Amino acid sequence: MDDIDDHIDEVPIIGHDGSINPPTDEQDSNQTQQQSSFTNYQKLTFIAMCCTYLSSMMSFSIIAPFFPTEAEKKDVSHSQIGFIFSVYNLVCFFASPLWGKLIPVIGTKFTFLAGCWVAGGCNVIFGFLDQLESGTQFLVFCYVVRSLEAVGAAASITAAMAIVANAFPDNVAVVMGWLEVFSGLGFAVGPPLGGALYQLGGYKLPFIVQGGIVILILVVNIFLLPGQDSNSSKEMGSFRALFRIPAVWPLSFAILVGSAALSFLDPTLSLHLQQFNLSPTVIGAVFLLVGGCYAIFSPVWGYLADKKRILRLMIVLGFHAAGVAYLLMGPSSVLKLPNELWIICMGLGLLGISIGCGLVPIFLDLLSTAFWYGMPDNLATQSIVSGLFNGMFSLGAFMGPFAGGVLTERYGFPVAASYFACANISVVFVIGLFGVWEYQCGYGRRKPRVKEETLKDDPNERSPLITEAPSWE
C-alpha cells in the first residue's frame, strides 16, 4: 500500500469539477520549464505522429469521390458499398483493444511500423481489385482488403497514442489536439486528392500513390523513432482492472457519442443541403465548416486541458454546446427557427468547435484516472487506455453514419438531428450525475489526500472520505 501511496502523490489530483489543485512553487517552476521546450526526441516523435495521422485519414477518405461509381460498375449495391466504407471502423473497434494488450509485449515501434506497412500495402492491393470479376468476387475481396487495412491502421494509431502518452507526459492533451489537426487535414485532403488522381490516371493511381506515401512515411519513421527500452516491463495491461474503475464507463460513452456526432453528417448532410440548390463545390465547402473548426480549435482545447486541468468541465460544456449545434442544424422544431442556410452553417461551425472541447480532454482524463486508481504509470496502462479510446472512437464512427442514415430515411434530417442533439445532451447528464455520485461516495479525484501525520498535527483538519486509492485488482 505504501507503493500505491507514493505513486498517487506524484499524480495531479483533479477535483469533481475537473479543476486541479495548485502545485507548489517548486513543482510549478519545474512544470513551466518542461512545457517551455521540447527535446529533439520529442520533436522528431511529434513529426512522425503527425505524418501518421495525416496519412491514416487520407487512406480512409481517398476512395470517397470515385469508388462508389467504380463499385456500381461491378454490380455492387448501394448498401454493400456503404458497408465497404463502414467495415473499416467496425474492424478498428475490435482490433484496437487487442493491439493495446499486445503493444508492451511486441513493442511500440514494431507495432507502429508493422501497422503502417500493412495499411500501406493494402492501399496498393486495393488499387488492383478492379481486375477481379464483377459481383461476389469483387465484393468479398473489397471486404477482406479493407478489413486488413483497418487492422494495420488500428495497430499504428493505437501505438501512436501510446507513444504520445509516454513521450509527452506533461503535454498529452496539447499533442493530441495538434494530432487532431492533421487527422482533420487528412480527412479533408483525401477526397480531392483521390478525385484528382482518379481523373489523371484512372482507378489504380490514387491507391498506388497513397500506398506509396504511407510506405515512405514508414521508412522515415524507422530512423525517427527509437526502439522500446529493453529494461521496460513486458507485462500486458489489464482491461479487467481498467473497466473496474467507475469513471471509465461514462468517459467511454462520451467518446462513442462524440465520434458518432462527427460521422453522422457523412451520409446525410449533402442530401439535406440539396433543398438550397447548392453546387457540389459549395456543399464541399459547407462540410469543411465542421472539420475546419474542429482542426483549428483542437490545439486550443488541448492547451487548456493541460494548463488548467478542468477536464470534466470541458467535457460537459463541449457536449452541451454540441447538442445546441445539432438543434440548429435541423433546425429542430423545438427552436421554431426558419429553415435558413446560414442557421445550418452556424450549427455546423458550432459543432466543430464544441465537439473538440468535449473529446480532446478525454484521453488525458482516462490516463489520469487510471493512474489515480493505482494502475501503474507505464507502457502497459498507456497502451490499453489508447486501445480503449481508439476502439470506442471507431465504434462511434461506425454507428454514426448507420444511425444517421436510418433516422434520416425514416423521419427526415431535422428529426434525426434532434435525436443526435439528445444523445449529446445525455452525455452532459451522465458525466454530471457521475460527478455527483463520485463526490458523494468518495471515489475519484475530489480533493488533496490528507496524510495521517497532517491530521495528527492539526486535529481541526477535515478528513477526506477516502485516504488512499481503492485497489481494483
Side-chain angles (χ1 to χ4, degrees):
M1 189 61 68
D2 293 336
D3 294 337
I4 296 177
D5 289 343
D6 293 338
H7 174 69
I8 295 172
D9 290 337
E10 298 174 357
V11 180
I13 308 301
I14 303 174
H16 68 280
D17 60 350
S19 61
I20 187 170
N21 298 296
T24 63
D25 294 339
E26 182 180 354
Q27 291 172 332
D28 186 66
S29 175
N30 292 337
Q31 186 177 14
T32 302
Q33 184 177 2
Q34 290 173 350
Q35 292 182 348
S36 60
S37 61
F38 288 152
T39 64
N40 289 333
Y41 159 68
Q42 288 177 318
K43 293 176 182 177
L44 292 176
T45 300
F46 178 72
I47 293 172
M49 297 303 103
C50 289
C51 293
T52 300
Y53 269 69
L54 178 68
S55 62
S56 177
M57 290 309 300
M58 286 176 61
S59 298
F60 172 76
S61 62
I62 198 171
I63 69 175
F66 64 89
F67 180 77
T69 302
E70 290 290 329
E72 284 184 337
K73 297 177 183 178
K74 294 290 187 178
D75 299 328
V76 178
S77 67
H78 288 283
S79 60
Q80 291 169 333
I81 294 173
F83 193 72
I84 291 173
F85 278 83
S86 59
V87 73
Y88 183 96
N89 286 308
L90 184 62
V91 172
C92 281
F93 165 66
F94 290 105
S96 295
L98 177 62
W99 289 121
K101 288 280 289 184
L102 294 176
I103 282 174
V105 178
I106 60 181
T108 51
K109 183 175 181 177
F110 178 82
T111 306
F112 177 78
L113 296 177
C116 291
W117 174 259
V118 172
C122 288
N123 264 287
V124 176
I125 294 173
F126 211 94
F128 291 88
L129 295 186
D130 63 332
Q131 304 298 315
L132 299 175
E133 295 181 2
S134 300
T136 303
Q137 188 182 74
F138 176 81
L139 181 63
V140 169
F141 273 90
C142 282
Y143 287 151
V144 171
V145 177
R146 189 72 165 165
S147 298
L148 288 175
E149 181 184 350
V151 171
S156 61
I157 293 299
T158 303
M161 295 181 72
I163 290 172
V164 167
N166 188 266
F168 302 91
D170 300 314
N171 304 92
V172 173
V174 170
V175 175
M176 291 302 299
W178 277 106
L179 291 180
E180 288 303 316
V181 174
F182 286 88
S183 179
L185 182 62
F187 191 81
V189 170
L193 177 63
L197 292 174
Y198 176 74
Q199 287 186 332
L200 182 64
Y203 179 82
K204 292 183 178 62
L205 187 60
F207 296 105
I208 294 175
V209 170
Q210 178 57 29
I213 291 173
V214 174
I215 294 175
L216 177 62
I217 292 174
L218 163 68
V219 174
V220 173
N221 286 339
I222 291 176
F223 302 98
L224 284 182
L225 295 176
Q228 185 174 347
D229 186 358
S230 58
N231 296 323
S232 62
S233 174
K234 303 292 184 180
E235 183 180 355
M236 292 188 293
S238 171
F239 273 106
R240 179 174 175 269
L242 183 65
F243 280 115
R244 292 182 68 185
I245 298 174
V248 168
W249 293 93
L251 291 174
S252 298
F253 176 66
I255 299 170
L256 176 68
V257 174
S259 176
L262 281 174
S263 58
F264 160 81
L265 301 172
D266 292 343
T268 59
L269 181 60
S270 60
L271 297 175
H272 181 55
L273 295 176
Q274 287 180 357
Q275 60 181 310
F276 300 106
N277 298 319
L278 304 177
S279 67
T281 303
V282 175
I283 292 177
V286 173
F287 265 99
L288 285 177
L289 278 173
V290 180
C293 290
Y294 180 79
I296 291 171
F297 281 88
S298 287
V300 177
W301 302 133
Y303 174 81
L304 187 61
D306 273 330
K307 188 73 174 177
K308 300 297 183 182
R309 296 288 176 135
I310 47 174
L311 307 180
R312 300 280 170 84
L313 180 60
M314 290 178 65
I315 295 171
V316 168
L317 293 178
F319 277 95
H320 183 272
V324 175
Y326 261 100
L327 292 177
L328 291 174
M329 275 190 289
S332 173
S333 58
V334 174
L335 301 180
K336 301 188 182 302
L337 294 174
N339 187 22
E340 299 287 347
L341 179 61
W342 69 270
I343 295 177
I344 298 174
C345 291
M346 184 170 63
L348 291 169
L350 178 60
L351 177 65
I353 296 171
S354 59
I355 203 66
C357 180
L359 282 175
V360 169
I362 295 180
F363 184 64
L364 178 58
D365 198 328
L366 283 170
L367 280 175
S368 301
T369 300
F371 298 154
W372 193 91
Y373 273 94
M375 298 187 70
D377 185 357
N378 59 14
L379 179 61
T381 301
Q382 294 160 355
S383 297
I384 61 171
V385 170
S386 301
L388 171 64
F389 186 95
N390 195 31
M392 295 306 299
F393 195 93
S394 298
L395 181 60
F398 170 75
M399 294 178 60
F402 176 76
V406 171
L407 290 172
T408 301
E409 183 177 5
R410 185 166 185 176
Y411 302 108
F413 185 89
V415 175
S418 298
Y419 275 109
F420 269 76
C422 293
N424 283 277
I425 297 297
S426 69
V427 174
V428 177
F429 283 103
V430 169
I431 298 293
L433 291 174
F434 173 78
V436 173
W437 173 86
E438 189 178 51
Y439 182 82
Q440 293 297 327
C441 295
Y443 295 104
R445 300 155 294 160
R446 307 182 305 103
K447 57 190 299 183
R449 294 172 61 251
V450 182
K451 293 186 177 180
E452 293 181 2
E453 292 79 1
T454 305
L455 294 175
K456 291 177 181 178
D457 295 339
D458 185 3
N460 295 323
E461 180 70 39
R462 182 181 177 185
S463 175
L465 294 178
I466 53 174
T467 58
E468 62 186 25
S471 175
W472 298 95
E473 289 289 274

